[in-house]
mmCIF file of all heavy atoms in Angstrom:
data_model
loop_
_atom_site.group_PDB
_atom_site.id
_atom_site.type_symbol
_atom_site.label_atom_id
_atom_site.label_comp_id
_atom_site.label_asym_id
_atom_site.label_seq_id
_atom_site.Cartn_x
_atom_site.Cartn_y
_atom_site.Cartn_z
ATOM 1 N N TYR M 1 6.596 -2.742 -1.373
ATOM 2 C CA TYR M 1 6.646 -2.926 0.051
ATOM 3 C C TYR M 1 7.039 -1.698 0.776
ATOM 4 O O TYR M 1 8.051 -1.046 0.440
ATOM 5 C CB TYR M 1 7.556 -4.056 0.421
ATOM 6 C CG TYR M 1 7.478 -4.473 1.922
ATOM 7 C CD1 TYR M 1 6.626 -5.300 2.314
ATOM 8 C CD2 TYR M 1 8.474 -3.896 2.851
ATOM 9 C CE1 TYR M 1 6.575 -5.784 3.809
ATOM 10 C CE2 TYR M 1 8.385 -4.194 4.166
ATOM 11 C CZ TYR M 1 7.410 -5.206 4.702
ATOM 12 O OH TYR M 1 7.438 -5.531 5.944
ATOM 13 N N VAL M 2 6.201 -1.226 1.817
ATOM 14 C CA VAL M 2 6.547 -0.021 2.463
ATOM 15 C C VAL M 2 6.291 -0.262 3.910
ATOM 16 O O VAL M 2 5.064 -0.848 4.340
ATOM 17 C CB VAL M 2 5.682 1.132 2.072
ATOM 18 C CG1 VAL M 2 5.999 2.344 2.878
ATOM 19 C CG2 VAL M 2 5.925 1.453 0.579
ATOM 20 N N ALA M 3 7.172 -0.059 4.899
ATOM 21 C CA ALA M 3 7.043 -0.240 6.288
ATOM 22 C C ALA M 3 7.776 0.577 7.144
ATOM 23 O O ALA M 3 8.735 1.268 6.744
ATOM 24 C CB ALA M 3 7.391 -1.742 6.653
ATOM 25 N N SER M 4 7.426 0.795 8.402
ATOM 26 C CA SER M 4 8.098 1.532 9.307
ATOM 27 C C SER M 4 8.077 0.900 10.769
ATOM 28 O O SER M 4 7.199 -0.024 11.022
ATOM 29 C CB SER M 4 7.417 3.058 9.452
ATOM 30 O OG SER M 4 6.177 2.922 9.958
ATOM 31 N N GLN M 5 9.007 1.321 11.585
ATOM 32 C CA GLN M 5 9.080 0.626 12.724
ATOM 33 C C GLN M 5 9.827 1.689 13.813
ATOM 34 O O GLN M 5 10.697 2.462 13.458
ATOM 35 C CB GLN M 5 9.891 -0.647 12.771
ATOM 36 C CG GLN M 5 9.855 -1.446 14.075
ATOM 37 C CD GLN M 5 10.228 -2.922 13.759
ATOM 38 O OE1 GLN M 5 10.286 -3.332 12.655
ATOM 39 N NE2 GLN M 5 10.429 -3.727 14.819
ATOM 40 N N THR M 6 9.376 1.601 15.019
ATOM 41 C CA THR M 6 10.154 2.383 16.059
ATOM 42 C C THR M 6 10.383 1.594 17.355
ATOM 43 O O THR M 6 9.855 0.553 17.567
ATOM 44 C CB THR M 6 9.027 3.595 16.547
ATOM 45 O OG1 THR M 6 7.993 3.025 17.071
ATOM 46 C CG2 THR M 6 8.868 4.542 15.370
ATOM 47 N N GLY M 7 11.327 2.087 18.112
ATOM 48 C CA GLY M 7 11.681 1.405 19.265
ATOM 49 C C GLY M 7 12.616 2.200 20.138
ATOM 50 O O GLY M 7 12.827 3.328 19.980
ATOM 51 N N MET M 8 13.205 1.492 21.124
ATOM 52 C CA MET M 8 14.115 2.160 21.878
ATOM 53 C C MET M 8 15.319 1.237 22.316
ATOM 54 O O MET M 8 15.264 0.066 22.216
ATOM 55 C CB MET M 8 13.534 2.825 23.231
ATOM 56 C CG MET M 8 12.924 1.670 24.062
ATOM 57 S SD MET M 8 12.281 2.258 25.647
ATOM 58 C CE MET M 8 13.677 3.375 26.373
ATOM 59 N N CYS M 9 16.489 1.775 22.779
ATOM 60 C CA CYS M 9 17.631 0.982 23.221
ATOM 61 C C CYS M 9 18.104 1.600 24.454
ATOM 62 O O CYS M 9 17.883 2.760 24.728
ATOM 63 C CB CYS M 9 18.718 1.004 22.063
ATOM 64 S SG CYS M 9 18.238 0.538 20.494
ATOM 65 N N LYS M 10 18.641 0.725 25.252
ATOM 66 C CA LYS M 10 19.329 0.964 26.545
ATOM 67 C C LYS M 10 20.683 0.484 26.696
ATOM 68 O O LYS M 10 20.825 -0.819 26.473
ATOM 69 C CB LYS M 10 18.379 0.625 27.747
ATOM 70 C CG LYS M 10 17.204 1.654 27.975
ATOM 71 C CD LYS M 10 16.561 1.410 29.353
ATOM 72 C CE LYS M 10 15.541 2.375 29.728
ATOM 73 N NZ LYS M 10 14.918 2.198 30.979
ATOM 74 N N ALA M 11 21.595 1.275 26.965
ATOM 75 C CA ALA M 11 23.021 0.805 27.285
ATOM 76 C C ALA M 11 23.448 1.374 28.593
ATOM 77 O O ALA M 11 23.765 2.689 28.557
ATOM 78 C CB ALA M 11 23.929 1.048 26.210
ATOM 79 N N GLY M 12 23.416 0.748 29.715
ATOM 80 C CA GLY M 12 23.693 1.400 30.886
ATOM 81 C C GLY M 12 22.655 2.426 31.269
ATOM 82 O O GLY M 12 21.513 2.041 31.405
ATOM 83 N N ARG M 13 23.000 3.630 31.596
ATOM 84 C CA ARG M 13 22.130 4.641 31.930
ATOM 85 C C ARG M 13 21.658 5.416 30.638
ATOM 86 O O ARG M 13 20.787 6.223 30.724
ATOM 87 C CB ARG M 13 22.770 5.666 32.854
ATOM 88 C CG ARG M 13 22.991 5.036 34.221
ATOM 89 C CD ARG M 13 23.556 6.138 35.286
ATOM 90 N NE ARG M 13 23.870 5.459 36.525
ATOM 91 C CZ ARG M 13 24.255 6.141 37.634
ATOM 92 N NH1 ARG M 13 24.542 7.475 37.495
ATOM 93 N NH2 ARG M 13 24.547 5.639 38.749
ATOM 94 N N ARG M 14 22.205 5.155 29.499
ATOM 95 C CA ARG M 14 21.893 5.802 28.378
ATOM 96 C C ARG M 14 20.715 5.128 27.596
ATOM 97 O O ARG M 14 20.763 3.977 27.387
ATOM 98 C CB ARG M 14 23.049 5.915 27.344
ATOM 99 C CG ARG M 14 22.801 6.557 26.030
ATOM 100 C CD ARG M 14 24.010 6.389 25.081
ATOM 101 N NE ARG M 14 25.236 6.885 25.658
ATOM 102 C CZ ARG M 14 26.370 6.881 24.996
ATOM 103 N NH1 ARG M 14 26.469 6.309 23.900
ATOM 104 N NH2 ARG M 14 27.508 7.474 25.516
ATOM 105 N N SER M 15 19.751 5.953 27.160
ATOM 106 C CA SER M 15 18.691 5.340 26.431
ATOM 107 C C SER M 15 18.485 6.246 25.171
ATOM 108 O O SER M 15 18.654 7.512 25.082
ATOM 109 C CB SER M 15 17.421 5.452 27.193
ATOM 110 O OG SER M 15 16.999 6.738 27.494
ATOM 111 N N THR M 16 18.067 5.529 24.147
ATOM 112 C CA THR M 16 17.837 6.222 22.956
ATOM 113 C C THR M 16 16.447 5.784 22.183
ATOM 114 O O THR M 16 15.952 4.699 22.595
ATOM 115 C CB THR M 16 18.864 5.982 21.861
ATOM 116 O OG1 THR M 16 18.985 4.451 21.626
ATOM 117 C CG2 THR M 16 20.164 6.409 22.269
ATOM 118 N N LYS M 17 15.940 6.570 21.416
ATOM 119 C CA LYS M 17 14.753 6.157 20.631
ATOM 120 C C LYS M 17 15.081 6.141 19.134
ATOM 121 O O LYS M 17 16.017 6.961 18.715
ATOM 122 C CB LYS M 17 13.583 7.330 20.839
ATOM 123 C CG LYS M 17 12.918 7.358 22.166
ATOM 124 C CD LYS M 17 11.749 8.306 22.168
ATOM 125 C CE LYS M 17 10.896 8.075 23.279
ATOM 126 N NZ LYS M 17 10.116 6.848 23.363
ATOM 127 N N TRP M 18 14.577 5.146 18.468
ATOM 128 C CA TRP M 18 14.981 5.043 16.997
ATOM 129 C C TRP M 18 13.784 4.794 16.164
ATOM 130 O O TRP M 18 12.631 4.419 16.662
ATOM 131 C CB TRP M 18 15.953 3.848 16.870
ATOM 132 C CG TRP M 18 15.437 2.523 17.356
ATOM 133 C CD1 TRP M 18 15.874 2.012 18.579
ATOM 134 C CD2 TRP M 18 14.560 1.550 16.772
ATOM 135 N NE1 TRP M 18 15.201 0.728 18.670
ATOM 136 C CE2 TRP M 18 14.492 0.445 17.630
ATOM 137 C CE3 TRP M 18 14.006 1.520 15.565
ATOM 138 C CZ2 TRP M 18 13.700 -0.759 17.349
ATOM 139 C CZ3 TRP M 18 13.188 0.423 15.181
ATOM 140 C CH2 TRP M 18 13.226 -0.701 16.126
ATOM 141 N N ALA M 19 13.861 5.137 14.936
ATOM 142 C CA ALA M 19 12.848 4.944 13.818
ATOM 143 C C ALA M 19 13.466 4.575 12.653
ATOM 144 O O ALA M 19 14.533 4.983 12.252
ATOM 145 C CB ALA M 19 12.066 6.165 13.779
ATOM 146 N N TYR M 20 12.755 3.614 11.936
ATOM 147 C CA TYR M 20 13.124 3.109 10.650
ATOM 148 C C TYR M 20 12.042 3.110 9.666
ATOM 149 O O TYR M 20 10.842 2.800 9.929
ATOM 150 C CB TYR M 20 13.590 1.592 10.885
ATOM 151 C CG TYR M 20 14.318 0.912 9.732
ATOM 152 C CD1 TYR M 20 15.789 0.927 9.748
ATOM 153 C CD2 TYR M 20 13.662 0.156 8.905
ATOM 154 C CE1 TYR M 20 16.339 0.268 8.638
ATOM 155 C CE2 TYR M 20 14.325 -0.378 7.854
ATOM 156 C CZ TYR M 20 15.660 -0.446 7.841
ATOM 157 O OH TYR M 20 16.373 -1.181 6.873
ATOM 158 N N PHE M 21 12.518 3.411 8.384
ATOM 159 C CA PHE M 21 11.501 3.456 7.218
ATOM 160 C C PHE M 21 12.131 2.789 6.035
ATOM 161 O O PHE M 21 13.298 3.116 5.800
ATOM 162 C CB PHE M 21 11.093 4.811 7.010
ATOM 163 C CG PHE M 21 10.206 5.017 5.744
ATOM 164 C CD1 PHE M 21 8.881 4.967 5.906
ATOM 165 C CD2 PHE M 21 10.757 5.143 4.503
ATOM 166 C CE1 PHE M 21 7.894 5.020 4.844
ATOM 167 C CE2 PHE M 21 9.892 5.281 3.361
ATOM 168 C CZ PHE M 21 8.515 5.164 3.538
ATOM 169 N N VAL M 22 11.416 1.895 5.419
ATOM 170 C CA VAL M 22 11.908 1.237 4.258
ATOM 171 C C VAL M 22 10.817 1.085 3.178
ATOM 172 O O VAL M 22 9.572 0.915 3.579
ATOM 173 C CB VAL M 22 12.426 -0.087 4.462
ATOM 174 C CG1 VAL M 22 11.439 -1.076 5.013
ATOM 175 C CG2 VAL M 22 13.110 -0.776 3.339
ATOM 176 N N ALA M 23 11.186 1.380 1.919
ATOM 177 C CA ALA M 23 10.245 1.220 0.880
ATOM 178 C C ALA M 23 10.868 0.665 -0.369
ATOM 179 O O ALA M 23 11.962 1.187 -0.751
ATOM 180 C CB ALA M 23 9.758 2.630 0.533
ATOM 181 N N ALA M 24 10.126 -0.377 -0.897
ATOM 182 C CA ALA M 24 10.729 -0.931 -2.234
ATOM 183 C C ALA M 24 9.579 -0.468 -3.282
ATOM 184 O O ALA M 24 8.474 -1.059 -3.174
ATOM 185 C CB ALA M 24 10.856 -2.322 -2.114
ATOM 186 N N PRO M 25 9.743 0.463 -4.162
ATOM 187 C CA PRO M 25 8.588 0.875 -5.082
ATOM 188 C C PRO M 25 8.019 -0.138 -5.934
ATOM 189 O O PRO M 25 6.899 -0.070 -6.353
ATOM 190 C CB PRO M 25 9.342 2.013 -5.798
ATOM 191 C CG PRO M 25 10.592 2.366 -5.058
ATOM 192 C CD PRO M 25 11.055 1.149 -4.353
ATOM 193 N N GLY M 26 8.807 -1.189 -6.436
ATOM 194 C CA GLY M 26 8.162 -2.143 -7.349
ATOM 195 C C GLY M 26 7.770 -1.450 -8.546
ATOM 196 O O GLY M 26 8.336 -0.542 -9.140
ATOM 197 N N PHE M 27 6.542 -1.934 -9.149
ATOM 198 C CA PHE M 27 6.082 -1.350 -10.403
ATOM 199 C C PHE M 27 4.766 -0.583 -10.134
ATOM 200 O O PHE M 27 4.029 -0.266 -11.109
ATOM 201 C CB PHE M 27 5.852 -2.545 -11.439
ATOM 202 C CG PHE M 27 7.127 -3.180 -11.915
ATOM 203 C CD1 PHE M 27 7.435 -4.445 -11.247
ATOM 204 C CD2 PHE M 27 7.943 -2.596 -12.746
ATOM 205 C CE1 PHE M 27 8.675 -5.044 -11.639
ATOM 206 C CE2 PHE M 27 9.120 -3.203 -13.143
ATOM 207 C CZ PHE M 27 9.416 -4.336 -12.633
ATOM 208 N N GLY M 28 4.432 -0.350 -9.083
ATOM 209 C CA GLY M 28 3.182 0.357 -8.742
ATOM 210 C C GLY M 28 3.327 1.930 -8.772
ATOM 211 O O GLY M 28 4.392 2.469 -9.201
ATOM 212 N N PRO M 29 2.172 2.658 -8.397
ATOM 213 C CA PRO M 29 2.261 4.133 -8.394
ATOM 214 C C PRO M 29 3.414 4.678 -7.629
ATOM 215 O O PRO M 29 3.746 5.982 -7.794
ATOM 216 C CB PRO M 29 0.767 4.406 -7.906
ATOM 217 C CG PRO M 29 0.068 3.271 -8.107
ATOM 218 C CD PRO M 29 0.882 2.005 -8.027
ATOM 219 N N ILE M 30 3.900 4.024 -6.589
ATOM 220 C CA ILE M 30 4.941 4.582 -5.687
ATOM 221 C C ILE M 30 6.148 4.956 -6.581
ATOM 222 O O ILE M 30 7.003 5.798 -6.366
ATOM 223 C CB ILE M 30 5.411 3.645 -4.585
ATOM 224 C CG1 ILE M 30 4.144 3.452 -3.670
ATOM 225 C CG2 ILE M 30 6.543 4.078 -3.869
ATOM 226 C CD1 ILE M 30 4.440 2.509 -2.575
ATOM 227 N N ARG M 31 6.297 4.280 -7.687
ATOM 228 C CA ARG M 31 7.474 4.619 -8.589
ATOM 229 C C ARG M 31 7.315 5.761 -9.301
ATOM 230 O O ARG M 31 8.268 6.361 -9.799
ATOM 231 C CB ARG M 31 7.600 3.408 -9.591
ATOM 232 C CG ARG M 31 8.946 3.573 -10.428
ATOM 233 C CD ARG M 31 9.392 2.274 -11.004
ATOM 234 N NE ARG M 31 9.772 1.328 -10.107
ATOM 235 C CZ ARG M 31 10.935 1.449 -9.470
ATOM 236 N NH1 ARG M 31 11.785 2.361 -9.682
ATOM 237 N NH2 ARG M 31 11.253 0.490 -8.543
ATOM 238 N N ASP M 32 6.043 6.358 -9.341
ATOM 239 C CA ASP M 32 5.756 7.532 -10.022
ATOM 240 C C ASP M 32 6.217 8.749 -9.265
ATOM 241 O O ASP M 32 6.214 9.940 -9.744
ATOM 242 C CB ASP M 32 4.323 7.684 -10.371
ATOM 243 C CG ASP M 32 3.908 6.648 -11.313
ATOM 244 O OD1 ASP M 32 4.700 6.092 -12.187
ATOM 245 O OD2 ASP M 32 2.643 6.247 -11.276
ATOM 246 N N ILE M 33 6.574 8.600 -7.996
ATOM 247 C CA ILE M 33 7.012 9.678 -7.223
ATOM 248 C C ILE M 33 8.463 9.352 -6.662
ATOM 249 O O ILE M 33 8.887 8.189 -6.825
ATOM 250 C CB ILE M 33 6.181 10.074 -5.948
ATOM 251 C CG1 ILE M 33 6.089 8.897 -5.033
ATOM 252 C CG2 ILE M 33 4.753 10.290 -6.434
ATOM 253 C CD1 ILE M 33 5.181 9.113 -3.749
ATOM 254 N N GLY M 34 9.115 10.413 -6.138
ATOM 255 C CA GLY M 34 10.542 10.118 -5.664
ATOM 256 C C GLY M 34 11.443 10.085 -6.770
ATOM 257 O O GLY M 34 11.432 10.872 -7.676
ATOM 258 N N ILE M 35 12.214 8.921 -6.704
ATOM 259 C CA ILE M 35 13.334 8.683 -7.710
ATOM 260 C C ILE M 35 13.008 7.566 -8.684
ATOM 261 O O ILE M 35 12.775 6.526 -8.194
ATOM 262 C CB ILE M 35 14.736 8.522 -7.008
ATOM 263 C CG1 ILE M 35 14.988 9.609 -6.078
ATOM 264 C CG2 ILE M 35 15.848 8.324 -8.031
ATOM 265 C CD1 ILE M 35 16.049 9.314 -5.149
ATOM 266 N N PRO M 36 12.735 7.847 -9.916
ATOM 267 C CA PRO M 36 12.242 6.844 -10.850
ATOM 268 C C PRO M 36 12.975 5.543 -10.900
ATOM 269 O O PRO M 36 12.499 4.395 -11.018
ATOM 270 C CB PRO M 36 12.108 7.415 -12.231
ATOM 271 C CG PRO M 36 12.123 8.839 -11.830
ATOM 272 C CD PRO M 36 12.828 9.059 -10.718
ATOM 273 N N THR M 37 14.358 5.654 -10.682
ATOM 274 C CA THR M 37 15.071 4.436 -10.853
ATOM 275 C C THR M 37 15.613 3.832 -9.559
ATOM 276 O O THR M 37 16.424 3.049 -9.463
ATOM 277 C CB THR M 37 16.453 4.817 -11.491
ATOM 278 O OG1 THR M 37 17.299 5.753 -10.858
ATOM 279 C CG2 THR M 37 16.185 5.340 -12.992
ATOM 280 N N SER M 38 14.814 4.160 -8.409
ATOM 281 C CA SER M 38 15.243 3.588 -7.206
ATOM 282 C C SER M 38 14.589 2.249 -6.898
ATOM 283 O O SER M 38 13.424 2.014 -7.133
ATOM 284 C CB SER M 38 14.757 4.563 -6.061
ATOM 285 O OG SER M 38 15.119 3.971 -4.750
ATOM 286 N N GLY M 39 15.366 1.357 -6.457
ATOM 287 C CA GLY M 39 14.960 0.001 -6.099
ATOM 288 C C GLY M 39 14.558 -0.019 -4.633
ATOM 289 O O GLY M 39 13.592 -0.915 -4.164
ATOM 290 N N ILE M 40 15.124 0.831 -3.811
ATOM 291 C CA ILE M 40 14.731 0.820 -2.339
ATOM 292 C C ILE M 40 15.206 2.062 -1.738
ATOM 293 O O ILE M 40 16.149 2.689 -2.195
ATOM 294 C CB ILE M 40 15.497 -0.353 -1.573
ATOM 295 C CG1 ILE M 40 14.842 -0.660 -0.271
ATOM 296 C CG2 ILE M 40 17.024 -0.144 -1.657
ATOM 297 C CD1 ILE M 40 15.481 -2.042 0.400
ATOM 298 N N TYR M 41 14.369 2.477 -0.689
ATOM 299 C CA TYR M 41 14.613 3.712 0.126
ATOM 300 C C TYR M 41 14.886 3.248 1.529
ATOM 301 O O TYR M 41 13.988 2.415 2.006
ATOM 302 C CB TYR M 41 13.461 4.777 0.105
ATOM 303 C CG TYR M 41 13.152 5.225 -1.322
ATOM 304 C CD1 TYR M 41 11.909 4.810 -1.826
ATOM 305 C CD2 TYR M 41 13.992 6.054 -2.062
ATOM 306 C CE1 TYR M 41 11.519 5.396 -3.184
ATOM 307 C CE2 TYR M 41 13.651 6.544 -3.303
ATOM 308 C CZ TYR M 41 12.361 6.142 -3.845
ATOM 309 O OH TYR M 41 11.979 6.653 -5.092
ATOM 310 N N VAL M 42 15.721 3.806 2.314
ATOM 311 C CA VAL M 42 15.994 3.463 3.631
ATOM 312 C C VAL M 42 16.391 4.699 4.457
ATOM 313 O O VAL M 42 17.120 5.510 3.941
ATOM 314 C CB VAL M 42 17.072 2.439 3.870
ATOM 315 C CG1 VAL M 42 17.390 2.138 5.198
ATOM 316 C CG2 VAL M 42 16.869 1.110 3.118
ATOM 317 N N VAL M 43 15.656 4.826 5.556
ATOM 318 C CA VAL M 43 15.984 5.919 6.517
ATOM 319 C C VAL M 43 15.924 5.378 7.909
ATOM 320 O O VAL M 43 15.122 4.645 8.334
ATOM 321 C CB VAL M 43 14.881 7.048 6.461
ATOM 322 C CG1 VAL M 43 15.221 8.070 7.515
ATOM 323 C CG2 VAL M 43 14.835 7.645 5.103
ATOM 324 N N ILE M 44 17.034 5.661 8.710
ATOM 325 C CA ILE M 44 17.038 5.176 10.037
ATOM 326 C C ILE M 44 17.616 6.434 10.896
ATOM 327 O O ILE M 44 18.455 7.136 10.469
ATOM 328 C CB ILE M 44 17.966 3.946 10.247
ATOM 329 C CG1 ILE M 44 17.947 3.664 11.759
ATOM 330 C CG2 ILE M 44 19.340 4.198 9.783
ATOM 331 C CD1 ILE M 44 18.662 2.350 12.083
ATOM 332 N N ALA M 45 16.972 6.599 11.990
ATOM 333 C CA ALA M 45 17.277 7.826 12.925
ATOM 334 C C ALA M 45 17.289 7.270 14.325
ATOM 335 O O ALA M 45 16.467 6.530 14.760
ATOM 336 C CB ALA M 45 16.473 9.017 12.819
ATOM 337 N N VAL M 46 18.343 7.727 15.046
ATOM 338 C CA VAL M 46 18.445 7.469 16.584
ATOM 339 C C VAL M 46 18.713 8.765 17.295
ATOM 340 O O VAL M 46 19.652 9.393 16.977
ATOM 341 C CB VAL M 46 19.512 6.438 16.702
ATOM 342 C CG1 VAL M 46 19.780 5.990 18.193
ATOM 343 C CG2 VAL M 46 19.437 5.074 15.936
#
């Protein structure tokens, strides 16, 4: 499973933009790249 999402947040006059990425390699070709023993990858930035 691989997915991404973007959005924004507002708190008072402050606003932010965020992005999220998640990947679960499973047993497919995605496991052949990156880290062989990884069960999940997560990245979030604001």
